[in-house]
Amino acid sequence: MNTRFIFVFFLTWVSFSGFSQQARISGVVTDTEGIPLELATVQVEKSTTGAFTDEKGRYTLNISKNDSCVLVFSCLGYNKTKRVIPLVTGDMNINVKMRKTDFELGAVTITGKRQPSNMMTNIQTDRNRLNVDATGGSIESLVITAGMGVSGASELSTQYSVRGGNYNENIVYVNGIEVYRPILIRSGQQEGLSFINPDLTAEVTFSSGGFEARYGDKMSSVLDVTYKKPEQFEGGVTGSLLGGNVYLGSSSGKFTQITGLRYKRGTTLLNTLDTKGDYNPTAIDLQTYMTYALMPKLNLSFLGNYSDNTYDFNPTERETSFGTMAEPRKFTVYYAGAERDRFKTLSGAATLKYDITEHADVALQVSAFQSTEQENYDIAGEYWLSNVLSEDEKEITGTGTFLNHARNYLKTDVMSAALNGSAGFSQNTVRWSLAYQREKNRDRIREWELQDSMGYSLPYDEETLRVYSNLLSKNDITSNRFSGYLQDTYRFRTEKGFFSITAGIRGSYWNFNKEFIFSPRASFRFIPSRNENFNFRLATGIYYQAPFYKEFRTVTEDSLGNGHVNLNRQIKSQRSIHFVLGSDYKFNFDSRPFKFTTELYYKKMDNLVPYTVNNVRIDYYGSNVSHGYSTGIDMKLFGQFVSGADSWIGLSLMQAKQYIDGKKVPMPTDQLYNFTFYFTDYAPYIPDQKVQVNLRAIWAGGIPFSVPGGESKYIRSIRTRPYNRVDIGMTYRLLDENSLIRDNSFWRYIKNIWVGVDLFNLFDIGNVSSYSWFADTGGILYAVPDRLTGRQLNIKLVAEF
């Protein structure tokens, strides 16, 4: 018995002695700006002992005491850093800042700096407010040119389509909260401001497909935005002919806040449209993000938003030339009446987060969103269709009148609660979530259109006066959704290189149609050690488009031709299976850094709900009656075409088809090609890069459309003309940190002042957003193009402090 006791005591003593000989070395790895670097490698030189940093840049190593060692810190896109420890005597804390390599692209580009997942890429927005942009410097406008497979076909809208998907198939998060867009908006003129405030933005990540399970049930893309948490006082003011922004941020110990106010009034831009009149659009947006440290490990944050967008319009006349060189035509209208629209949203989200350990946390998140939308118009018009015989001679081929009427009201309330968590275990990072969401929609739709051609109401009926279109809706719906996900990211390094595998599953239940959906997803990334300038990735998964009110509204006609909106309780979630293969290659050319990115993809889709697109309004069929696919290749080259100035050029080739009633037809977003170009230069012979020139160009193929009426409107055989647009801007830095005037007591608080001039639509190209249909004397319908904005000058002033 004594022998056994001595033996156990000896083993215990040896174990504790060995453990006591281990020292714990930990710390945080960041870049030179203090931003944490995830997936950085920390390794003891000439040994297999090592670790990876988590998403907060933290690492932990156990090293034998009384030894000397060299720690090697490495991260893709950064220079290797070494720290020599002459003698390890006990637990130590070593923080490291890493410098970017020459491959790192600068101000506004997608970089390899910090990849939060295998299929997400970072988009930096440091100088976004200097970019030439008709929407006023929105994040979405940057995504349209910098994102893979992204297309935007209207400078009046911040909406975009991705790889054959429509606007509603893109999910957007701000600080982990899903944001929504108004439903009734039908044109870019009504849209106003998007939710994301660029001034408050700290980090933007984007994926065009194959994204991980923690992102919700949408079929196309995810845009994940994180707002700033200021470390000191900061602010800025931007003003232009399109509107203005102001923001202030501060930090005082436990409390931080950043608040931004935006105002947009695009009257000068709208005055270049074919339809003339009194445009009075006004959009106001107020947002704040606040954090408070209740305890060292317990933090409370709040994100609040109030947005009020009004659109007042009194049209007077319109003259549109269309047709061909051989058969030129003209469409002339004189209007009476007005349109009064208002879209008001209010949202708030609170998050209580507790850091259990350095590598594990849990958070409770509650949010509420309310949208009130009103659309009111009574617009009458008298039109003439004519053949243009010469400059002064026309032949009238059709004349008529129309009257458009609407009294539309929609109120949406969304309340949600979620419990989220994450934990890091050596080479693994596990994330999970359980969420509940309650949705309430109340709509009252009354809209109709009367068309009279040559004294006859269309469609003509000898016994009954018929209107051209009519829609009535009176629906109230309350529903509940339950969702959750679990995913793991496993990272390891071998002699072959660095590997990262992310796999997870997402599930949800909606009580409106009693549907369960499950979405397994996985992605893989490999960086070969032989040449770390290469980055290969592969992703696949099932992605559902859970219906959100518009998708399950069906329209049935009564005996008089009146359209009534009914809710389809048999609706199912649309499904898309993604296969994505991509690579990055970084290289130097003429001593300047470049990065070439390529992605091949195939999306198999079923349970689709056919839809039509008119400007930015999407009207769904209301039933799952089709299936289809989308496939293509996206290529982008990022780099310094001019030394010190970052630019990019992209080309996307795509085919998106679906089968309706056995017929293979193009999807409404089947854009065969999309070429984007963003070029930055600095004026020569002017020191300190004081003059910056930006050029933004898009050449995109036309999208399909069809003749309105019945189910045939989903069978498209005609395409719009290509969308071609070039914008150019120039900014001059009046003041910077090296200016002598900063010695003055007032100017020393100003970091930078820029003044700029933009020229939108440089070549005054008449792009088309949609088509209006009118009949001649023979009853033949003509598609009259609704053109977008023409050439317009903009002046802006930007100040940072």
Side-chain angles (χ1 to χ4, degrees), residues 73-89:
F73 298 82
S74 61
C75 183
L76 184 64
Y78 290 79
N79 294 321
K80 283 187 177 181
T81 302
K82 294 184 178 182
R83 290 290 184 270
V84 178
I85 306 178
L87 183 63
V88 180
T89 58

Side-chain angles (χ1 to χ4, degrees), residues 229 252-256 290-295 298-302 351-353:
K229 187 178 178 181
S252 56
K254 296 182 178 181
F255 178 74
T256 71
M290 297 180 288
T291 67
Y292 184 74
L294 299 171
M295 298 169 58
L298 186 64
N299 293 275
L300 178 66
S301 64
F302 174 77
T351 302
L352 185 65
K353 184 179 179 182

Side-chain angles (χ1 to χ4, degrees), residues 642-765:
V642 175
S643 181
D646 298 322
S647 306
W648 56 87
I649 184 171
L651 175 64
S652 296
L653 304 175
M654 182 190 68
Q655 185 181 80
K657 305 291 184 182
Q658 64 179 333
Y659 295 86
I660 303 178
D661 295 332
K663 297 180 180 179
K664 184 179 179 180
V665 297
M667 289 186 177
T669 53
D670 180 35
Q671 197 168 53
L672 301 180
Y673 67 91
N674 183 32
F675 176 84
T676 57
F677 180 47
Y678 200 95
F679 179 74
T680 305
D681 195 4
Y682 295 103
Y685 312 116
I686 299 179
D688 301 325
Q689 299 180 340
K690 286 181 175 291
V691 177
Q692 178 176 309
V693 179
N694 296 316
L695 186 143
R696 181 180 188 267
I698 297 177
W699 289 276
I703 57 176
F705 71 100
S706 58
V707 178
E711 297 184 5
S712 63
K713 64 184 179 180
Y714 301 105
I715 311 297
R716 306 163 194 88
S717 57
I718 320 170
R719 287 185 181 270
T720 64
R721 60 177 296 175
Y723 179 84
N724 302 324
R725 183 180 175 91
V726 178
D727 300 329
I728 189 169
M730 181 178 69
T731 54
Y732 178 76
R733 186 164 55 191
L734 294 174
L735 183 144
D736 59 23
E737 295 179 351
N738 299 320
S739 301
L740 296 177
I741 195 174
R742 286 175 57 84
D743 294 337
N744 181 281
S745 58
F746 172 76
W747 295 107
R748 69 185 180 199
Y749 298 106
I750 309 297
K751 293 181 180 178
N752 294 287
I753 295 181
W754 298 80
V755 61
V757 177
D758 298 327
L759 187 58
F760 301 134
N761 199 354
L762 176 64
F763 300 114
D764 200 26
I765 299 172

Side-chain angles (χ1 to χ4, degrees), residues 5 9 12 186 227 233 319 391 423 530 540 584 623:
F5 175 80
F9 176 80
T12 305
R186 66 180 69 214
Y227 277 179
F233 178 79
E319 187 172 271
E391 187 175 348
R530 183 172 298 181
T540 186
D584 297 328
S623 299

Side-chain angles (χ1 to χ4, degrees), residues 120-253:
M120 300 289 287
T121 51
N122 285 77
I123 300 179
Q124 289 190 332
T125 59
D126 297 348
R127 290 188 178 180
N128 188 54
R129 59 176 63 93
L130 300 181
N131 295 342
V132 54
D133 177 19
T135 65
S138 66
I139 296 297
E140 293 87 345
S141 178
L142 182 61
V143 171
I144 288 172
T145 59
M148 299 291 289
V150 184
S151 174
S154 173
E155 66 276 4
L156 293 175
S157 172
T158 58
Q159 302 304 315
Y160 53 88
S161 62
V162 179
R163 294 177 176 172
N166 65 43
Y167 314 135
N168 292 333
E169 295 174 13
N170 306 312
I171 193 167
V172 179
Y173 291 95
V174 174
N175 284 18
I177 305 296
E178 182 179 355
V179 300
Y180 302 89
R181 63 185 292 263
I183 294 176
L184 292 183
I185 284 180
R186 66 180 69 214
S187 68
Q189 294 92 305
Q190 300 172 317
E191 193 170 291
L193 292 161
S194 73
F195 183 93
I196 305 170
N197 188 330
D199 291 335
L200 310 189
T201 300
E203 184 178 31
V204 176
T205 58
F206 179 77
S207 174
S208 301
F211 44 90
E212 57 199 80
R214 67 184 172 120
Y215 295 114
D217 297 312
K218 296 287 187 178
M219 288 200 303
S220 290
S221 74
V222 58
L223 177 63
D224 193 359
V225 177
T226 303
Y227 277 179
K228 297 177 182 178
K229 187 178 178 181
E231 297 181 356
Q232 59 185 3
F233 178 79
E234 63 176 90
V237 177
T238 302
S240 74
L241 298 180
L242 300 177
N245 311 338
V246 60
Y247 85 97
L248 293 172
S250 62
S251 175
S252 56

Side-chain angles (χ1 to χ4, degrees), residues 272-276 317-325 327-333 384-391 393-394 721 764-768 770-772 782-788:
T272 65
L273 296 171
D274 283 350
T275 302
K276 306 303 178 184
E317 61 181 337
R318 169 181 175 177
E319 187 172 271
T320 301
S321 298
F322 67 105
T324 63
M325 294 291 292
E327 296 181 342
R329 294 185 173 89
K330 184 163 288 189
F331 177 69
T332 305
V333 188
W384 287 265
L385 281 167
S386 58
N387 292 330
V388 179
L389 304 179
S390 65
E391 187 175 348
E393 187 178 2
K394 303 175 188 175
R721 60 177 296 175
D764 200 26
I765 299 172
N767 292 303
V768 176
S770 58
Y771 288 86
S772 299
Y782 288 89
V784 180
D786 300 321
R787 294 199 173 93
L788 290 165

Side-chain angles (χ1 to χ4, degrees), residues 562-604:
N562 297 314
H564 296 269
V565 174
N566 300 298
L567 303 182
N568 178 13
R569 290 188 175 271
Q570 304 303 315
I571 193 75
K572 298 298 181 183
S573 297
Q574 302 177 84
R575 186 177 69 170
S576 176
I577 303 176
H578 291 196
F579 301 93
V580 183
L581 176 64
S583 68
D584 297 328
Y585 174 57
K586 296 184 178 184
F587 62 96
N588 270 344
F589 179 77
D590 196 20
S591 301
R592 297 194 301 271
F594 289 87
K595 181 177 75 169
F596 182 67
T597 299
T598 305
E599 286 191 356
L600 293 164
Y601 64 90
Y602 177 81
K603 299 196 292 186
K604 182 182 181 298

